[in-house]
Amino acid sequence: MKKILLAGLALLGLGAAQAAHAATLDTVKQRGQLVCGVSTGFAGFSLPDSQGQFRGIDADYCRAIAAAVLGDATKVRFTGLTAQNRFTALQSGEVDVLLRNSTQTFLRDATIGLRAGPVNFYDGQGFAVKREAGVSKVAELNGATVCVAQGTTHEVTLGDYARAHNITFQPVVFERVDTMYQAFFSGRCDAMTQDASALAGAVATAPKPDDYMVLAETISKEPLGPFTRNGDDQWSTIVSWVHYGLIEAEELGVTQANAEAQAKGANPTAQRLLGGAGEFGSRIGLDNAWMLNAIKAVGNYGEVFERNVGGGSQLKLQRGLNGLWSKGGLMYAIPFR
């Protein structure tokens, strides 16, 4: 009987916890601010600038969501999270959405009470090395010491790859990414492994960037995107469709500069996207200008990419898999109709 009572209380506690975080949209509106979980320092994704303002793709997604929900891209509080505490922070309600270079995997989707949103960046695990080492392939790192962040998919994949290819790595594990960077650039490790895009950012902002390189080879798939809590379908839908809206805007040629005019233009898809026709916003608890506000705040997906990691940034990354589907990439918006 006691066991049954305890089990019942546990279920009630779980239900209460889920209910407490179920209406994230209401919470954000009442607070008047979006709390967005980001990394503590990934160039191109979420890195404070000289004024302490977070810049990068993930930071721009936070601003886009704030603009869509609250009508103001400045109404967002960035919470820097480590790999160890990022999911706990979302589970507990400390943050409303997680946008922190987090790889979507089966276990993360199925076992931690969180929902993986659409992929906003297709990446792969790579390696950074010193140029003078003369290394051009991962196989040439056999026996090398490798800096890796604790609690990441990179730590697991590093071991999996070594076993599958009968080579040996000597992992040097760090709790924080910033200390990992300091260790690698001070010569503690022969190589450093992380998402290739993050490595590009680390090298670009290193004290002597020309002394290092990121190998062209990657050893995994790293689909990155937002996470929300299970049990809050409305909020998860909003986060997902802000992403699809940024992709759709690029497909349609809607930009930060012309969004206002396009809302009144002749293209019916653009009108629906930007609130000039239909009642799409009310279906998810927002006003009709939700995507217009988001695009006016950060631009379309192509503009977000270009500014933060593309030709207009220090990273100079090619679109590649992150290009539009119509141009050989994987970015494809679910239709706005």
Side-chain angles (χ1 to χ4, degrees), residues 38-43 45-48 80-86 100-102 147-155 172-186 188-189 191-195 197-203 205:
V38 295
S39 70
T40 53
F42 284 160
F45 288 85
S46 55
L47 181 70
L81 302 171
T82 66
Q84 287 74 35
N85 68 9
R86 55 184 163 176
R100 191 205 171 281
N101 295 73
S102 297
C147 287
V148 62
Q150 186 179 38
T152 62
T153 56
H154 311 125
E155 188 179 10
V172 182
V173 181
F174 296 87
E175 183 177 349
R176 294 179 59 89
V177 172
D178 55 351
T179 55
M180 179 180 73
Y181 288 167
Q182 291 168 10
F184 173 68
F185 292 123
S186 67
R188 184 172 174 184
C189 305
M192 177 169 64
T193 189
Q194 197 179 22
D195 293 338
S197 61
L199 292 175
V203 168
T205 55

Side-chain angles (χ1 to χ4, degrees), residues 24 28 31-36 61-63 65-66 69-70 75-78 96-97 235:
T24 307
V28 172
R31 189 194 301 127
Q33 186 181 54
L34 174 75
V35 182
C36 202
Y61 265 71
C62 294
R63 292 187 177 93
I65 294 169
V69 173
L70 300 171
K75 292 183 177 180
V76 53
R77 184 171 81 240
F78 295 98
D96 303 313
V97 60
W235 182 248

Side-chain angles (χ1 to χ4, degrees), residues 229-289:
R229 286 180 289 273
N230 276 346
D232 195 344
D233 293 346
Q234 181 186 39
W235 182 248
S236 296
T237 297
I238 289 169
V239 171
S240 294
W241 280 92
V242 166
H243 167 72
Y244 293 134
L246 298 182
I247 301 296
E248 183 84 359
E250 184 180 6
E251 293 181 2
L252 295 170
V254 175
T255 67
Q256 189 173 27
N258 71 20
E260 287 273 13
Q262 292 270 31
K264 303 171 185 177
N267 188 312
T269 304
Q271 288 183 1
R272 290 192 293 269
L273 174 69
L274 301 169
E279 292 293 332
F280 283 67
S282 62
R283 309 296 178 91
I284 53 175
L286 304 178
D287 63 36
N288 254 18

Side-chain angles (χ1 to χ4, degrees), residues 89-166:
L90 181 58
Q91 291 164 340
S92 67
E94 180 184 343
V95 299
D96 303 313
V97 60
L98 180 67
L99 278 153
R100 191 205 171 281
N101 295 73
S102 297
T103 301
Q104 300 182 3
T105 69
F106 171 82
L107 290 177
R108 287 178 176 177
D109 191 44
T111 65
I112 60 176
L114 302 178
R115 177 178 295 187
V119 177
N120 71 352
F121 196 90
Y122 291 93
D123 214 335
Q125 183 172 341
F127 292 82
V129 297
K130 295 180 181 178
R131 288 188 183 275
E132 66 180 20
V135 173
S136 61
K137 297 185 295 186
V138 175
E140 295 170 358
L141 291 172
N142 188 21
T145 54
V146 181
C147 287
V148 62
Q150 186 179 38
T152 62
T153 56
H154 311 125
E155 188 179 10
V156 176
T157 302
L158 188 66
D160 288 347
Y161 186 86
R163 287 188 292 273
H165 293 81
N166 197 30

